[in-house]
Amino acid sequence: KLEGHCRLFVKNLPYDVTESELGTLFSQHGKIREVRVPTSFGRSKGFAYVEFVRSDALRAAVEAKPAPTLRGRPLRLDVDTASGPKAG
């Protein structure tokens, strides 16, 4: 399921999360190509995309134990397969 994919869909984020904050959190798993936090009315929608350079970095992030947290919030991670309504 993870093979060939490099983009992570991260949910349950604080509304004031920054791209640099996420980049710092996930860079421990591998080199990041891009972090994108979609916003609405000036604040995060509570989710983001983290794109890694290599798919093995994505695998490391998804399989990390314990699962990553940000400011005490457990983050929910999914592989973004670029299909369906959440793509983009």
Side-chain angles (χ1 to χ4, degrees):
K1 174 183 172 176
L2 303 178
E3 207 54 49
H5 296 292
C6 294
R7 191 161 51 178
L8 186 64
F9 184 59
V10 185
K11 299 179 280 192
N12 198 36
L13 293 169
Y15 289 119
D16 60 345
V17 70
T18 65
E19 291 174 354
S20 63
E21 196 173 10
L22 286 173
T24 300
L25 178 66
F26 286 102
S27 65
Q28 63 186 308
H29 302 295
K31 188 170 180 174
I32 293 174
R33 175 175 290 136
E34 179 185 21
V35 177
R36 196 159 53 87
V37 179
T39 58
S40 178
F41 302 106
R43 69 177 199 171
S44 160
K45 292 183 177 184
F47 65 89
Y49 299 96
V50 177
E51 187 172 356
F52 292 96
V53 172
R54 298 169 46 99
S55 62
D56 57 348
L58 173 80
R59 179 185 302 275
V62 170
E63 295 177 351
K65 300 290 182 218
T69 60
L70 184 63
R71 299 188 215 159
R73 297 170 73 111
L75 303 182
R76 294 198 296 277
L77 310 178
D78 283 322
V79 176
D80 181 17
T81 57
S83 62
K86 69 182 177 186

